[in-house]
Amino acid sequence: MTIKAGFDLGSTAIKVVLADGEKILWSGKTPTAPGQLTLAQELLGKGLAELGLTADSVSQVAATGYGKRLCGLAEAQIDEIRANSLGLFRLSEGRARHIVNIGGQDIKLIRLDDRGLVSDFKMNDKCAAGTGRFFELVARLLDTPITEFSRLSQESTENITLNSTCVVFAESEMVSLMAKGVGNSDIIKALHAAVARRVAAMMGRSDLGEGVWLDGGPAMNRALVEAMEDELMTDVFVLEKPQYTVAYGAVLSLGL
Amino acid sequence: MTDRQVNDVSQFAVKSHDATKDVQKTVTPRTSSPGDRRARLLAKTQERIASEEKIVLDWLRNQPDYRPSLAYFLELLSDRRIAAIESRCQRKAIRLLCNQIPLELILAAGFQPFKVVSGSSAEASYSAHNWPALMCPLIKGILTALELDPDLAQGAWVAPTSCDWVVKFWEARQRVMAGTGQIQWLELPHLKNRPESQKRWLEEVRAFHRYLEKLKGGKIARQALIQSIEAINRAWTAIISLKKARRDGRLSLGWFLAIMGAFFLDRLERWTSQVESLVLELEREPTGGEVFGARVFLAGSPIFFPNFKAPILLETAGLKVVADDLCSSERIFPGGQVFEDVSEYGLLASLAGRYHQGCLCPTFGDNERRVNNILSQRRESSFQGVVFVVLKGCHPYDLESTTIEETLKNYGLRFLRLETDYAPEDRQNLLTRLEAFGHSLSGVR
């Protein structure tokens, strides 16, 4: 059996998808740290071991993400926007037209045509506002794991507003709210709304009739998805494993 | 306990110790005065600039299209100090801000036109704390350049009232180098199509002519003016051939920008001769055939050496820039001059018209020609998309990008707007966008 591997070497996590044709056999991730090649090799080794395969079974490897050039394993490289569009278009069975990807250090908005080709895209400038890094900062500040954000947000009883998604300004705003005795759940709900507002501002006046597909790690946060639905006023679809769509797109770029 | 014992115990009592002295101990500082600190900061900035320049010069030298005849331009870019330029050209330089100043008049008066620019991240950073955050990095960099090279601050300066940053430059520089240099303004009317504006601009050009005569200490001969117009026309013809070489894939974007960046660094005739020789060399060689990669047009804020972030990333992403409308490149002066009336007034009127009507700077209120120029270049160079680079703080280009984007999209052109500055930190982010843009142009899935 020969399989293909797609790596997404992001700023926060390295993700890999092992696939036989279009079929995903295994997916896994590990936090990004120095020595990305070793980390990627270990992750691949883990996947192969779980599938009962050896390195010889991997016929082709593609890489995407900020670390794609650091990954000596890959013979093909693809930019994240194209990988994202390929992966999500296929996984959504050709339904996705608008993608919002929230990554570790950027937000990407991608518009697809009915063939799945990128017709337009936007990315935030060098600013971590509203990205995965922003969520990490808030988690540290509130001493609360990100995995708890969704549940806590739903427990919120008071509507408050965070005026900024700028990491620096939001931090001081949150410290001030905490000093006033505002609870973590209310702050987290406000955080989701602020990120959703930022995405909506980036979206501009786009017609979102077909809904929006959200992917990247933060898409697993149900409360964020609801906040985005409220702000964008459209359906927000999320796949079961939204953090692997880009790595899957890298596999697809190798051809079937 | 006996008295004796008490006395013995007292020997072990903690001696009174004044800790204040310990706290007050200081390490000898490396800086002893604000003046010293400034000197050290400037020296550090100079080191950083040298390092930025070396990276770009090495990159240019290692480009596949590098050839020995390009060494001349590398040499010019390696020493852009005003003293070096004056010595190279054997004449006094007139420092220019912006492109609307008729170069022909300066040349005819026997001076070297020198456009003062800065593309250095280190130069812009040095001044950053003194000025607004969203300020044009070019102006910030120039303000540092004045401190680094006091000779630059001296002498004659000419500025048209083009964008707000240029208009406020002289006021800003008084904070840095008060009492140095003299400024000659040209009040640029921001409407090109109104007869009153055209008349007003002609008066400004005539006043500039008189100013140059005063500076020269004698009349500018009409024949000298005709000769300088012809010299500029010859340079323009060479630039057209150079543009063609880039369009045909014989010359890279990086080298095109480097050659244009060296335009003010030597005598015009020498620069033109070098370009002509290069063009002949390039034309003798077979083309690389079809230009591979997506063909794009480059627009937006100017790109000055050593800020080659955008060209390096464009080439890394495999995008082929086949034409541009940068005021640091193809629009370095507004084309060749045709004149019928050879009287002094006729020549000045002709120059004034071209530098006003032919300028596509976004500071003009009636600037439809900007979009029309891109569309007509599309017919000539058949590009599929436009990459529009906006420098943070460059407000006229920033504003104009939105209207240009809308118009060009209506004509079926793809458009990518990149907002950036001189700092290198956003390279990866920009590269991702450029790669995706390239793929979207070539319809690759």
Side-chain angles (χ1 to χ4, degrees):
Chain A
M1 181 187 193
T2 58
I3 62 167
K4 290 174 183 171
F7 281 97
D8 173 11
L9 296 109
S11 61
T12 311
I14 298 174
K15 285 81 67 178
V16 68
V17 165
L18 304 179
D20 176 14
E22 282 188 36
K23 189 180 168 193
I24 297 176
L25 301 176
W26 189 84
S27 58
K29 66 184 170 74
T30 187
T32 299
Q36 293 199 51
L37 177 58
T38 311
L39 290 171
Q41 279 169 328
E42 285 171 1
L43 191 59
L44 178 63
K46 187 181 171 199
L48 291 172
E50 286 185 21
L51 291 171
L53 298 171
T54 62
D56 297 342
S57 319
V58 184
S59 63
Q60 278 178 296
V61 180
T64 187
Y66 285 150
K68 61 179 179 279
R69 287 181 179 80
L70 304 172
C71 179
L73 292 170
E75 60 254 50
Q77 291 171 359
I78 176 174
D79 66 83
E80 300 92 291
I81 292 168
R82 199 155 61 99
N84 203 160
S85 66
L86 279 172
L88 194 44
F89 190 72
R90 186 68 55 88
L91 291 168
S92 70
E93 296 172 330
R95 288 188 295 151
R97 293 292 177 275
H98 296 276
I99 303 172
V100 176
N101 176 289
I102 302 184
Q105 61 180 26
D106 58 33
I107 298 175
K108 301 181 191 82
L109 309 181
I110 307 170
R111 189 183 301 165
L112 305 178
D113 66 16
D114 53 10
R115 295 168 299 160
L117 295 175
V118 177
S119 60
D120 204 0
F121 63 88
K122 280 184 188 167
M123 265 173 85
N124 59 315
D125 291 316
K126 52 178 182 186
C127 165
T131 66
R133 193 73 74 210
F134 179 59
F135 283 92
E136 284 171 18
L137 171 109
V138 177
R140 265 203 310 275
L141 197 67
L142 301 181
D143 197 18
T144 304
I146 292 178
T147 46
E148 290 291 299
F149 275 23
S150 183
R151 181 183 62 77
L152 284 169
S153 185
Q154 279 152 353
E155 287 174 6
S156 164
T157 53
E158 199 181 338
N159 275 331
I160 56 160
T161 305
L162 269 182
N163 294 310
S164 177
T165 49
C166 164
V167 173
V168 178
F169 293 144
E171 181 174 3
S172 62
E173 209 175 331
M174 276 185 277
V175 169
S176 151
L177 288 169
M178 287 158 74
K180 284 181 194 161
V182 177
N184 283 7
S185 56
D186 294 331
I187 294 176
I188 289 168
K189 188 181 176 191
L191 156 84
H192 292 144
V195 172
R197 273 201 306 278
R198 169 146 170 85
V199 171
M202 281 177 74
M203 280 276 189
R205 289 168 293 173
S206 305
D207 176 14
L208 303 173
E210 307 94 337
V212 164
W213 292 72
L214 179 66
D215 65 1
M220 290 185 290
N221 178 345
R222 190 63 220 161
L224 174 66
V225 176
E226 285 169 11
M228 284 187 48
E229 281 181 331
D230 288 347
E231 196 61 45
L232 296 172
M233 288 179 277
T234 190
D235 293 332
V236 175
F237 302 101
V238 182
L239 295 164
E240 202 176 314
K241 289 184 167 183
Q243 69 273 50
Y244 293 107
T245 50
V246 183
Y248 180 57
V251 175
L252 295 179
S253 73
L254 294 167
L256 299 174
Chain B
M1 185 184 286
T2 64
D3 287 350
R4 173 75 186 162
Q5 281 172 315
V6 170
N7 287 342
D8 283 345
V9 170
S10 68
Q11 290 173 40
F12 301 103
V14 177
K15 286 180 182 164
S16 161
H17 175 71
D18 184 359
T20 316
K21 287 203 168 57
D22 291 341
V23 176
Q24 281 177 329
K25 277 181 194 165
T26 53
V27 177
T28 310
R30 287 199 298 166
T31 308
S32 53
S33 72
D36 285 349
R37 182 167 183 274
R38 178 176 168 271
R40 279 176 44 211
L41 277 172
L42 282 171
K44 191 79 189 163
T45 303
Q46 192 75 68
E47 271 175 38
R48 288 180 179 148
I49 296 167
S51 156
E52 282 176 63
E53 291 179 353
K54 185 176 182 308
I55 289 169
V56 178
L57 292 171
D58 287 348
W59 178 77
L60 286 166
R61 210 175 276 115
N62 291 321
Q63 285 298 288
D65 60 342
Y66 178 72
R67 56 187 63 234
S69 51
L70 289 167
Y72 161 79
F73 302 102
L74 276 185
E75 201 179 311
L76 293 183
L77 290 171
S78 305
D79 194 352
R80 302 181 326 283
R81 288 171 305 121
I82 193 88
I85 293 157
E86 288 184 335
S87 152
R88 199 181 289 139
C89 300
Q90 290 296 297
R91 56 189 179 192
K92 287 275 173 207
I94 293 192
R95 293 114 173 112
L96 314 175
L97 289 167
C98 248
N99 281 10
Q100 294 87 357
I101 306 150
L103 303 177
E104 293 84 344
L105 287 177
I106 299 170
L107 291 165
F111 297 108
Q112 172 68 19
F114 173 62
K115 189 167 157 187
V116 185
V117 296
S118 166
S120 159
S121 173
E123 267 180 349
S125 307
Y126 172 85
S127 290
H129 65 283
N130 272 328
W131 307 104
L134 271 183
M135 176 176 172
C136 166
L138 167 68
I139 296 293
K140 256 191 261 194
I142 295 175
L143 290 167
T144 304
L146 297 176
E147 289 193 62
L148 286 167
D149 182 2
D151 288 343
L152 179 65
Q154 305 295 335
W157 287 72
V158 184
T161 53
S162 50
C163 73
D164 288 351
W165 296 119
V166 170
V167 171
K168 298 302 280 182
F169 169 75
W170 198 256
E171 181 186 319
R173 91 193 277 287
Q174 297 312 308
R175 283 183 64 197
V176 182
M177 301 294 277
T180 59
Q182 310 89 43
I183 181 83
Q184 172 70 16
W185 292 103
L186 273 84
E187 197 175 340
L188 181 72
H190 288 274
L191 293 172
K192 289 190 275 191
N193 298 326
R194 288 178 73 216
E196 296 90 336
S197 303
Q198 293 163 8
K199 197 174 157 195
R200 173 91 191 96
W201 177 242
L202 174 58
E203 285 312 309
E204 288 295 312
V205 171
R206 293 181 71 196
F208 181 53
H209 181 245
R210 289 193 295 276
Y211 162 80
L212 286 170
E213 287 189 331
K214 196 172 161 196
L215 207 61
K216 173 184 159 69
K219 196 161 169 51
I220 297 173
R222 198 168 51 90
Q223 198 53 39
L225 185 52
I226 292 173
Q227 279 169 3
S228 69
I229 290 173
E230 283 166 353
I232 286 282
N233 282 353
R234 186 182 146 207
W236 184 242
T237 308
I239 291 172
I240 290 172
S241 305
L242 204 62
K243 282 166 59 174
K244 188 173 180 307
R246 180 180 60 174
R247 198 172 61 217
D248 297 344
R250 291 182 168 104
L251 189 70
S252 63
L253 168 68
W255 266 109
F256 187 88
L257 294 177
I259 293 167
M260 297 310 291
F263 179 79
F264 290 102
L265 306 178
D266 197 2
R267 276 192 176 254
L268 179 66
E269 309 79 51
R270 220 161 20 221
W271 182 90
T272 306
S273 297
Q274 292 286 338
V275 173
E276 286 168 343
S277 307
L278 172 67
V279 165
L280 281 177
E281 254 183 65
L282 294 169
E283 284 175 352
R284 274 199 295 270
E285 293 167 9
T287 60
E290 189 189 345
V291 175
F292 292 103
R295 294 165 70 93
V296 295
F297 182 89
L298 179 60
S301 307
I303 293 174
F304 295 115
F305 179 82
N307 172 36
F308 270 34
K309 182 166 65 174
I312 291 173
L313 293 177
L314 279 157
E315 294 196 353
T316 307
L319 292 167
K320 299 293 174 198
V321 173
V322 290
D324 73 74
D325 70 358
L326 307 182
C327 64
S328 53
S329 175
E330 283 194 28
R331 286 203 294 114
I332 201 160
F333 57 85
Q337 180 74 45
V338 179
F339 55 91
E340 287 175 359
D341 182 353
V342 292
S343 68
E344 183 183 281
Y345 180 87
L347 293 172
L348 292 179
S350 162
L351 280 175
R354 191 173 107 250
Y355 276 84
H356 194 223
Q357 303 297 298
C359 184
L360 300 180
C361 177
T363 54
F364 287 105
D366 46 358
N367 206 23
E368 299 81 9
R369 276 197 55 214
R370 180 85 194 281
V371 170
N372 294 340
N373 174 57
I374 298 175
L375 292 172
S376 84
Q377 294 234 40
R378 181 199 196 180
R379 284 189 287 276
E380 206 172 280
S381 309
S382 60
F383 47 82
Q384 300 138 295
V386 174
V387 175
F388 198 105
V389 180
V390 177
L391 282 175
K392 277 186 206 298
C394 186
H395 303 142
Y397 281 104
D398 199 356
L399 179 68
E400 207 178 66
S401 72
T402 54
T403 50
I404 288 183
E405 175 174 6
E406 214 164 82
T407 313
L408 294 182
K409 279 184 171 172
N410 288 338
Y411 280 94
L413 275 168
R414 290 285 182 87
F415 191 94
L416 177 68
R417 179 183 177 282
L418 300 176
E419 186 174 332
T420 184
D421 52 25
Y422 289 172
E425 286 79 16
D426 59 349
R427 275 180 303 191
Q428 187 55 54
N429 182 310
L430 298 178
L431 182 59
T432 299
R433 289 191 242 187
L434 287 167
E435 286 175 336
F437 187 62
H439 288 303
S440 74
L441 292 178
S442 42
V444 177
R445 293 198 66 170

